[in-house]
Amino acid sequence: QSPPKPKDEL
Amino acid sequence: MNIFRLAGDMTHLASVLVLLLKIHTIKSCAGISLKTQELFAIVFASRYLDIFTDFISLYNTLMKLIFLGSSFSIVWYIRRHKLVRRSYDKDQDTFRHYFLLLPCFILALLINEKFTFKEVMWTFSLYLEAVAILPQLVLLQRTKNIDNLTGQYVFLLGAYRGLYILNWIYRYFTEPHYVHWIPWISGLVQTLLYADFFYYYFESWKNNKKLQLPA
């Protein structure tokens, strides 16, 4: 499974 | 944060500063596509809906505020400032940008990672950013004398995209489970759109000639 997507990019 | 990501953000920031510098000091937006600038404002507004709900870092929040503020003030300058708007090449900047909005939105409704409002808007912003440069590239092709600041602006934007791809490659090999197809493919498409411009940019730089794109 994939972890929650980190929206840490701009 | 890795060096590619930081360098990418910094070239992105530099591109915005170069454009604001041109508009603010020379009071001219000659060669700049309002269509592209409006699309970028929509890109940031739809992508940063999480700005007040998800805190990542001070850096992240500040950069989001800078990109939102700068993109809307550039649009304001070109539309409302009485000197700047006079320099706007309205007759050359004819790309029908709303033709890009609807397909990107439909694509975001169809292809997304999660069907929620925020997620669809975020995906829409990625698709739209990928093609938002098109009106600007068309305008460049029509401009006989591309001034240095405009050339540097587009160069810095392209560099930002290229560096983001290096950042993704780096993160793919250093972080577990780091796979994000939607930003990767749209980012790759976006970077490829700059390939032609880059070719002529380096040619003009190598031969020490003024930048001119073939019509």
Side-chain angles (χ1 to χ4, degrees):
Chain A
Q1 87 271 7
S2 69
K5 175 167 53 241
K7 294 269 203 302
D8 61 346
E9 291 177 351
L10 291 162
Chain B
M1 182 157 44
N2 62 67
I3 186 73
F4 304 113
R5 159 76 198 284
L6 184 65
D9 284 351
M10 290 305 115
T11 43
H12 194 186
L13 187 63
S15 74
V16 173
L17 292 180
V18 163
L19 184 53
L20 272 173
L21 183 84
K22 174 183 156 89
I23 291 177
H24 188 80
T25 60
I26 315 173
K27 295 287 185 285
S28 162
C29 65
I32 297 298
S33 166
L34 173 62
K35 307 289 175 69
T36 285
Q37 296 308 319
E38 288 177 337
L39 291 177
F40 279 149
I42 296 170
V43 163
F44 294 130
S46 46
R47 184 171 309 166
Y48 298 157
L49 289 172
D50 63 353
I51 188 165
F52 298 114
T53 53
D54 303 330
F55 181 78
I56 293 152
S57 65
L58 188 61
Y59 170 84
N60 205 278
T61 305
L62 275 178
M63 292 293 272
K64 284 175 177 171
L65 286 173
I66 290 173
F67 288 134
L68 277 169
S70 58
S71 62
F72 278 92
S73 47
I74 288 165
V75 170
W76 178 85
Y77 257 119
I78 302 178
R79 282 180 165 275
R80 298 271 176 258
H81 190 283
K82 69 173 189 289
L83 287 175
V84 177
R85 68 193 265 198
R86 245 185 266 163
S87 62
Y88 171 52
D89 310 320
K90 199 179 174 191
D91 303 331
Q92 300 282 316
D93 191 22
T94 54
F95 197 99
R96 285 198 261 286
H97 60 335
Y98 40 86
F99 280 174
L100 298 175
L101 286 164
L102 193 64
C104 288
F105 191 69
I106 293 172
L107 197 62
L109 286 174
L110 296 175
I111 306 174
N112 53 62
E113 285 181 24
K114 208 165 53 171
F115 196 73
T116 62
F117 176 70
K118 244 163 75 177
E119 192 68 23
V120 169
M121 291 308 280
W122 182 81
T123 314
F124 164 67
S125 81
L126 290 173
Y127 296 153
L128 189 61
E129 190 188 359
V131 291
I133 196 65
L134 285 173
Q136 179 64 64
L137 291 176
V138 169
L139 181 58
L140 276 187
Q141 231 165 37
R142 291 177 178 170
T143 311
K144 288 250 161 51
N145 292 305
I146 302 169
D147 63 87
N148 287 337
L149 285 178
T150 306
Q152 276 151 16
Y153 168 67
V154 179
F155 171 77
L156 286 166
L157 270 181
Y160 142 63
R161 293 317 309 180
L163 286 161
Y164 252 69
I165 289 184
L166 296 179
N167 156 57
W168 292 329
I169 295 171
Y170 180 86
R171 291 187 77 169
Y172 177 78
F173 286 110
T174 53
E175 290 175 33
H177 312 295
Y178 185 75
V179 176
H180 299 293
W181 289 110
I182 291 176
W184 289 353
I185 293 174
S186 39
L188 191 65
V189 169
Q190 188 178 357
T191 313
L192 288 176
L193 292 181
Y194 289 90
D196 193 56
F197 169 83
F198 269 122
Y199 173 78
Y200 291 105
Y201 188 87
F202 283 120
E203 283 290 302
S204 79
W205 178 73
K206 203 172 70 188
N207 304 323
N208 215 353
K209 275 210 206 111
K210 253 193 120 45
L211 175 63
Q212 206 173 347
L213 303 189

